[in-house]
Amino acid sequence: DGGITQSPKYLFRKEGQNVTLSCEQNLNHDAMYWYRQDPGQGLRLIYYSQIVNDFQKGDIAEGYSVSREKKESFPLTVTSAQKNPTAFYLCASSPSVGNTIYFGEGSWLTVV
Amino acid sequence: DAKTTQPTSMDCAEGRAANLPCNHSTISGNEYVYWYRQIHSQGPQYIIHGLKNNETNEMASLIITEDRKSSTLILPHATLRDTAVYYCIVRVLRNTGKLIFGQGTTLQVKP
């Protein structure tokens, strides 16, 4: 089936550790995105990528890093510099920036 | 992107049509109306979008008023699995991917 796969679904990490969230899509979409959603809050854009080997900061990029070495993959690293990393992270993709955005199932990150 | 206003919650009987309103009185001419829904602990699911004409797909219908200041999402035969938070957003398709989700409408479908 075509879609966006995020892994893991639930992740626990100790404070001070970096953690990488995986996102893979087989929709042949050029654009990919990472959002953060806190309980009862809307989505906030962390990073987006229009094409391979290119990515741009969103509204809350501090403490996060990404790479886009392959069209299908857009991993997000939550670094120890991120002050409040515990959240629900959503990966998304669209045929290109400006088209309809489709979301993965999300990953819950808890930092203790 | 323009702001949207939705009722906080709605109930609907299973099998009946669910009509979810959205106000977007400050919408610009090049902004599309998008609807997503989100079930707890899952990613938002795209439902439908439109510019000024009414739209229908396998999930729902979108009715946009002639002045484009409001719209209604219609789920023709609601099921229990349609219980979710429904978000109406407006966006310019050239933007960066920033989606402004408001509080949405919590739709409770009851047996």
Side-chain angles (χ1 to χ4, degrees), chain A residues 47-83:
Chain A
Y47 269 97
Y48 67 100
S49 167
Q50 299 188 58
I51 56 173
V52 175
N53 293 321
D54 175 76
F55 49 82
Q56 305 295 326
K57 294 182 179 180
D59 297 323
I60 56 166
E62 185 175 352
Y64 300 97
S65 66
V66 294
S67 63
R68 187 86 187 277
E69 297 177 1
K70 297 187 301 181
K71 186 176 184 177
E72 303 79 20
S73 179
F74 192 40
L76 173 74
T77 296
V78 184
T79 75
S80 57
Q82 168 52 229
K83 300 300 182 187

Side-chain angles (χ1 to χ4, degrees), chain B residues 16-21 35 47-48 55-57 59-63 71-77:
Chain B
R16 303 296 295 268
N19 297 285
L20 291 89
W35 283 84
I47 301 173
I48 199 167
E55 302 287 345
T56 295
N57 63 20
M59 288 183 66
S61 294
L62 174 61
I63 308 298
S71 61
T72 300
L73 178 74
I74 301 172
L75 307 178
H77 305 287

Side-chain angles (χ1 to χ4, degrees), chain B residues 22-27 64-71:
Chain B
C22 179
N23 180 284
H24 32 79
S25 58
T26 60
I27 192 170
I64 302 174
T65 59
E66 193 168 342
D67 64 7
R68 302 210 322 123
K69 293 185 177 182
S70 66
S71 61

Side-chain angles (χ1 to χ4, degrees), chain A residues 9 33 35 37 40 42-43 45 48 59 88 90 97-105 108, chain B residues 34 36 38 40-44 46 49 87 91 93-99 101-103:
Chain A
K9 177 68 175 179
Y33 314 81
Y35 298 87
Q37 186 176 34
L43 273 63
L45 182 63
Y48 67 100
D59 297 323
F88 188 46
L90 289 159
V97 171
N99 287 137
T100 298
I101 293 173
Y102 299 89
F103 289 85
E105 288 301 302
W108 285 96
Chain B
Y34 270 79
Y36 286 84
Q38 187 173 26
H40 184 62
S41 297
Q42 296 183 21
Y46 164 76
H49 74 282
Y87 296 100
R91 63 180 291 233
L93 290 191
R94 291 191 306 279
N95 75 5
T96 59
K98 181 176 179 178
L99 298 176
F101 278 52
Q103 294 302 307

